[in-house]
């Protein structure tokens, strides 16, 4: 199978002819060859997006919305194919792709389809005689760069609000997981998105991604990925002072207090870290336990973690698939060594599974590590795998100090039956999102993003529409009598 770039409404080869195989992480066999965009291809994509911009941005907002609503329907009509592609390319268990990734993607396009004609400017009460109002205008051509952990969902989080607001797009999926975004391009054409409005350019981050961040024809770059790459993007964007939106890494504290419902907390905490093999920026990767319940909690949590069914992502019974690449698996496994070097105790996992049918894939056992200190590397650095660091605390003050003791600030969670404490922590946590007696809820209406080294800007909800528009203030002299600034006798 061969996949091409999508530029100006056509599937085309890269000008260089370059391709790269995308692999099935279950056994590292190639699934398809994918064209890899270079700088010249990005130039073509930007030019196509620039040509498409005037018509798309001036179309009635309700008509843009209708197209997005149709796209949502088409995603549902093609749900099984999209779910299988996503699982094949990324390793997501098929039950999750079916129950979460695809429905959430459709919901996102539907939400912003409905939003298109409801997001509006304001009239502002200024001095007498003047009408002042604001226009919410699209930014222009936006560059969007996404990682490999949730390719289908993340492209929708970026493209849906950008399109609803009237922007045109150059989207670069991660080089190792391009398949669902190319399928979405097909569905977009079928839904009636005009040619050039969306251009999809799989390619290397250091080549196509870097050039998108630099490109003088791109007015905004929206990025999801690692903090290190986010910083490179900020630097590269300085040339034409692009608007920048960054969704970066995280090291989410998940705090279990002594008064929590332990059954719910054990299950929710396992989901917080092991869903998608822990490859989630919002993963609850620092499990913080009150010392009064720590032993009992850890025993139940470890028993549950050991019972999670690893297997081929296309098998409906699989609860945890492989990591998305061998390179990444090795990086995650290297943290078992890091933990040991700093006196950490590996309570479970820390290795690849021994089962013969998983031997060729990128699998890692659910891993639980007790750290000696919250300052240790395993409690500070994002591992981005099924790897949870356990810490204990004795009271609320210590819990808050540990929870806020990283440079990141993305997802966070707490389990307690004390209402005051719940809201106090919601106020005091250094985070973009707080889940109380739950973890990892997302909804297209609810803002998503971080603070500190986790980035800036918000996806979803009205906030996303603000990110993808700029405000113009218009002053109209209705009947103001202004004495002349420079009084002169009439000529
Ligand atoms: P990454 O930064 O290496 O890559 C992300 C994307 O950026 C890929 O498409 C890649 O090709 C591209 N890229 C790489 N170098 C680039 C450059 N110099 N210029 C422009 N683009 C470049 O990240 P990754 O390892 O693929 O993804 C995992 C990271 O993403 C983790 O740190 C994770 O926390 C983060 N993430 C954040 C969120 C969030 O919403 N905050 C969500 C998911 C993942």
């Amino acid at each position: 199978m061969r996949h091409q770039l999508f530029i100006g409404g056509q599937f085309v080869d890269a000008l260089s002819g370059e391709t790269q195989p995308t692999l099935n992480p279950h056994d590292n066999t190639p699934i398809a060859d994918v064209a890899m965009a270079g700088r010249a291809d990005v130039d073509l994509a930007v030019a196509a997006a620039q040509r498409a911009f005037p018509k798309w941005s001036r179309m009635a907002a309700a008509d843009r919305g209708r197209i997005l609503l149709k796209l949502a329907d088409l995603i549902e009509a093609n749900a099984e194919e999209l779910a299988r592609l996503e699982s094949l390319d990324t390793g997501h268990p098929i039950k999750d792709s079916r129950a979460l990734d695809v429905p959430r993607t459709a919901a996102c396009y539907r939400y912003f389809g409905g939003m298109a004609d409801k997001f509006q400017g304001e009239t502002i009460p200024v001095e007498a005689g003047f009408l002042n109002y604001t226009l919410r205008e699209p930014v222009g051509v936006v560059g969007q760069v996404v990682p490999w952990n949730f390719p289908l969902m993340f492209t929708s989080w970026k493209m849906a609000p950008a399109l609803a607001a009237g922007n045109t797009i150059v989207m670069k999926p991660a080089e190792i997981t391009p398949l669902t975004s190319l399928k979405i391009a097909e569905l977009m054409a079928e839904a009636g998105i005009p040619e050039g409005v969306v251009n999809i350019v799989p390619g290397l981050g250091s080549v196509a991604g870097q050039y998108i961040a630099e490109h003088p024809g791109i007015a905004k770059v929206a990025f999801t990925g690692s903090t290190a790459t986010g910083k490179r993007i900020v630097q590269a964007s300085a040339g034409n002072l692009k608007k920048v939106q960054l969704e970066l890494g995280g090291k989410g504290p998940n705090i279990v207090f002594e008064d929590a419902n332990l059954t719910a907390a054990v299950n929710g905490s396992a989901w917080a870290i092991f869903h998608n093999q822990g490859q989630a920026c919002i993963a609850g990767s620092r499990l913080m336990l009150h010392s009064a319940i720590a032993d009992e909690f850890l025993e139940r949590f470890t028993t549950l973690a050991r019972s999670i069914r690893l297997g081929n992502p296309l098998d409906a019974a699989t609860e945890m698939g492989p990591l998305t690449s061998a390179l990444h698996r090795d990086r995650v496994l290297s943290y078992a060594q890091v933990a040991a070097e700093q006196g950490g105790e590996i309570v479970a996992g820390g290795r690849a599974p021994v089962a013969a049918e998983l031997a060729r894939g990128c699998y890692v056992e659910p891993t639980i590590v007790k750290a000696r200190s919250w300052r240790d590397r395993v409690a500070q650095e994002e591992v981005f795998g099924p790897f949870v660091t356990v810490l204990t605390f004795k009271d609320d003050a210590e819990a808050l100090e540990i929870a806020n003791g990283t440079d990141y600030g993305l997802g966070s969670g707490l389990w307690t039956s004390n209402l005051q404490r719940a809201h106090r922590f919601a106020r005091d946590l250094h985070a973009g999102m707080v889940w109380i007696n739950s973890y990892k809820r997302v909804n297209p209406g609810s803002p998503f993003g971080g603070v500190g080294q986790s980035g800036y800007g918000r996806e979803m909800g009205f906030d996303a529409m603000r990110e993808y528009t700029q405000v113009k203030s218009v002053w109209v002299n209705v009947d103001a009598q202004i004495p002349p600034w420079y009084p002169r006798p009439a000529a």
Side-chain angles (χ1 to χ4, degrees), residues 144-150 154 157-158 172-176 203-213 221 223-230 232-233 236 246-250 279-282 328 382 384 408 410 433 448-450 454-455 459:
Q144 303 183 322
V145 178
V146 296
W148 41 260
N149 55 332
F150 291 97
F154 284 169
W157 291 11
K158 290 209 174 348
K172 192 196 86 62
E175 48 272 45
I176 61 170
L204 296 179
S206 55
V207 180
Q210 177 79 20
Y211 191 42
I212 286 172
V221 60
F223 171 74
T224 297
S226 62
T227 298
T229 305
R232 276 199 286 278
I233 290 203
L246 300 173
E247 304 287 350
L248 308 176
Q279 301 167 123
C281 50
I282 54 176
H328 186 57
E382 185 182 46
F384 214 59
Y408 291 116
L410 194 60
M433 289 155 287
F448 183 104
S454 295
E459 307 207 272

Side-chain angles (χ1 to χ4, degrees), residues 421-442:
R421 171 195 273 158
H423 289 289
R424 200 169 56 245
F425 270 78
R427 183 191 66 194
D428 293 343
L429 282 167
H430 184 68
M433 289 155 287
V434 181
W435 294 282
I436 298 170
N437 293 328
S438 182
Y439 204 95
K440 247 186 166 193
R441 304 302 308 181
V442 294

